[in-house]
Amino acid sequence: MFKEKTVEMEEVAARHERIARSFVEARRSASGFDAYPGEAPGSLEEAYVVQDRAIALHGEPVGGWKLGRINAPFDSRFGANRLAGPIFTSSIVDAEHGSVAAMPVIEEGFAAVEAEFLLRLGSSPDPDKHEWTMEEARSLVDSVAIGIEIASSPLTSINELGPAVTASDFGNNHGLLVGPEFEGWRSLDLDAVPVKLLINGAEVGSATTATMLDGPWGAVRFLAELAAARGVGLSKGQWISTGAVTGVHRVAVGDAVEAWFGSERLECRIVAATPAVADHVQGPRS
């Protein structure tokens, strides 16, 4: 029985390895595919196992975390109303005043943009603390900026296959454009700030963070608790992309994107990702 259990665990680990490697290699080659590369994870716990392996294979520092909402009925099925994914340091772009940043997507895969408030960790959360109040979560943050998250995956159907699939591929993140600090954030109610997103000059969505569960501060609390449960350390200086305010909006290469947060504006243009110089991922093949 013990031997059978060991063999089963090894087979599961090998399956997770193959899935993680498929995603990482496709991202490195900037190529896409239509079907999930193996048996899709049946739970968020399994999805995060795949994600952790993919982070290790990717081999780059994590400069932040994206949060995405899990809508009904998946929230009840998976026992969570948000999911998280890593944002690698190399994909974080600081917006320069007066310029329009070029943000890459996987042209053969899925590509979308999201207007989001970005909250920066001013201190590292206690990894042994598993429950946080909203005020405790707020005390972790030392800056709030406006931003645009680039959601892109090699898997063309990623947003149609449920949150576990999304979580398994870095939460569908491919980059983050960090705009200027949002003036007065310490005293303002972020839920009262109107946010809108335009693509090629046409407005595609408008809303406020009041529609986003318990808002940006709740996203920080969720991430701190999730990280403790997963045994993942959060670090000072990491950005938290707190969730799409106006929704997830599909884009194509060449599109011009414009996000407004009150009177503050942030712009980017969508370009095609190019293959990485290295054509391999970290670690031995199984």
Side-chain angles (χ1 to χ4, degrees):
M1 180 67 71
F2 177 77
K3 183 177 181 180
E4 292 176 355
K5 188 68 173 178
T6 300
V7 171
E8 180 183 349
M9 291 175 63
E10 290 176 348
E11 290 176 348
V12 170
R15 174 165 57 85
H16 293 160
E17 171 81 14
R18 288 192 296 271
I19 294 170
R21 189 174 292 277
S22 294
F23 277 118
V24 174
E25 289 184 339
R27 283 172 174 266
R28 283 191 175 273
S29 63
S31 58
F33 45 76
D34 296 326
Y36 194 81
E39 181 182 341
S43 67
L44 286 174
E45 290 76 15
E46 184 180 7
Y48 287 131
V49 170
V50 175
Q51 184 188 112
D52 287 342
R53 185 59 192 137
I55 291 172
L57 289 169
H58 193 70
E60 290 188 17
V62 175
W65 296 89
K66 65 81 53 82
L67 279 296
R69 182 170 184 169
I70 299 177
N71 293 311
F74 291 111
D75 54 349
S76 296
R77 174 183 167 188
F78 287 94
N81 57 19
R82 285 183 171 98
L83 60 83
I87 306 173
F88 296 102
T89 302
S90 62
S91 69
I92 298 176
V93 176
D94 289 323
E96 297 181 6
H97 180 70
S99 66
V100 178
M103 301 299 291
V105 300
I106 301 173
E107 190 171 15
E108 295 179 357
F110 176 91
V113 293
E114 306 169 15
E116 309 202 8
F117 279 106
L118 313 180
L119 278 57
R120 189 178 66 192
L121 291 174
S123 59
S124 300
D126 180 352
D128 297 319
K129 182 177 173 61
H130 289 260
E131 294 185 3
W132 292 76
T133 66
M134 201 72 82
E135 285 305 310
E136 288 172 334
R138 187 171 182 134
S139 70
L140 294 171
V141 173
D142 70 353
S143 181
V144 173
I146 62 174
I148 296 174
E149 186 203 345
I150 303 300
S152 187
S153 166
L155 180 58
T156 57
S157 57
I158 189 168
N159 263 24
E160 303 165 17
L161 299 178
V165 165
T166 299
S168 70
D169 183 30
F170 298 151
N172 196 14
N173 177 266
H174 198 265
L176 188 67
L177 178 61
V178 181
E181 184 171 63
F182 192 70
E183 187 175 351
W185 66 268
R186 293 184 184 276
S187 57
L188 287 175
D189 178 6
L190 295 181
D191 284 352
V193 179
V195 179
K196 64 180 179 180
L197 190 81
L198 293 81
I199 297 176
N200 298 325
E203 184 174 315
V204 294
S206 62
T208 70
T209 59
T211 65
M212 297 170 52
L213 301 172
D214 47 9
W217 304 110
V220 178
R221 179 174 66 177
F222 173 88
L223 181 62
E225 293 179 350
L226 177 66
R230 290 176 59 188
V232 174
L234 302 178
S235 302
K236 177 181 178 180
Q238 287 183 333
W239 287 102
I240 302 174
S241 194
T242 56
V245 183
T246 70
V248 179
H249 307 283
R250 297 291 295 265
V251 290
V253 170
D255 282 348
V257 179
E258 186 178 350
W260 286 85
F261 299 77
S263 60
E264 298 291 327
R265 183 176 67 170
L266 186 62
E267 297 178 89
C268 70
R269 60 184 177 87
I270 304 302
V271 299
T274 56
V277 174
D279 60 359
H280 63 280
V281 296
Q282 301 294 316
R285 290 185 179 274
S286 59

